[in-house]
Amino acid sequence: MDFELIVIAIAPIVFLAWFVYTRDRYDREPRRLIVKTFLVGAILVAPVIVAELVGSLIIPPSDDPLVLFLHFLIVVALVEESSKYLAVRISVYGTREFNEPMDGLVYGAIAGLGFAAPENLLYVLSRGAALGIIRAVLSVPGHALWGSIIGYYLGRQKLKLDSNGGIKGLSLAVILHTVFDLSLIHI
């Protein structure tokens, strides 16, 4: 059964990574940088887990709507989206291959999927196939989307089209992630 759960957890990530990578038809990014960005996104899950555990001690989830909002905003969304921002900055931002906003969108989505891979494995292996199917439709594409927003704005910043692009992209991704998490509480 564990093999089936692993497939359920990883299949949407592989599909979305392939989908994003193949959409860049004119100046496709080098596979080595795609793999590097994915791996950095995945590795950064470890410090994210620690930061979220510590953050949950400071701002624990609560029945109080304001505290719950702050928990999702600061402890979850800000920490997770910052890891995607860092993944792109560490792995590819300084390369000559990162030379247009579309590149940032691709690298950001891949960083988000790298992050989603170990996170999804942990959730699906501990909670089962049903959660894996739900996460395949909601959470995994969400991580790719939020990462792509961060990457796109980092691309604008790198090309000097927007001097605050990185902060704008991170802020937008954090807000969208927070709204997403809050909406799941009300389903």
Side-chain angles (χ1 to χ4, degrees), residues 2-187:
D2 283 348
F3 178 74
E4 292 168 353
L5 291 176
I6 291 169
V7 169
I8 290 170
I10 297 301
I13 291 158
V14 171
F15 171 75
L16 285 173
W18 166 83
F19 182 81
V20 168
Y21 181 71
T22 59
R23 295 312 95 176
D24 191 6
R25 294 183 183 149
Y26 302 109
D27 186 19
R28 197 163 285 162
E29 300 313 301
R31 287 187 183 147
R32 66 180 168 70
L33 292 178
I34 293 294
V35 170
K36 181 180 179 182
T37 304
F38 184 90
L39 291 174
V40 172
I43 289 166
L44 287 174
V45 168
V48 164
I49 290 170
V50 173
E52 287 182 342
L53 288 171
V54 171
S56 291
L57 295 173
I58 299 166
I59 307 173
S62 169
D63 290 336
D64 181 312
L66 178 59
V67 174
L68 187 60
F69 168 76
L70 291 173
H71 174 78
F72 284 139
L73 177 70
I74 298 167
V75 176
V76 179
L78 180 61
V79 170
E80 291 184 8
E81 299 316 313
S82 293
S83 78
K84 295 167 197 162
Y85 175 93
L86 284 173
V88 173
R89 288 296 302 239
I90 291 168
S91 62
V92 293
Y93 188 80
T95 65
R96 62 181 158 81
E97 287 87 354
F98 188 161
N99 57 13
E100 62 179 349
M102 178 65 180
D103 295 348
L105 190 146
V106 170
Y107 288 126
I110 295 299
L113 292 167
F115 176 88
E119 183 190 61
N120 216 37
L121 275 168
L122 291 170
Y123 275 115
V124 174
L125 289 174
S126 66
R127 298 189 185 159
L131 181 64
I133 292 166
I134 293 167
R135 288 185 58 81
V137 175
L138 297 174
S139 301
V140 171
H143 285 299
L145 171 65
W146 304 319
S148 69
I149 291 168
I150 292 166
Y152 172 78
Y153 278 95
L154 278 170
R156 291 185 51 80
Q157 177 178 299
K158 182 173 182 180
L159 296 172
K160 302 190 184 341
L161 301 172
D162 186 346
S163 62
N164 296 315
I167 295 299
K168 287 179 184 175
L170 177 60
S171 298
L172 182 55
V174 167
I175 290 166
L176 292 173
H177 191 157
T178 302
V179 169
F180 173 81
D181 286 347
L182 285 169
S183 70
L184 292 178
I185 297 298
H186 292 68
I187 291 179

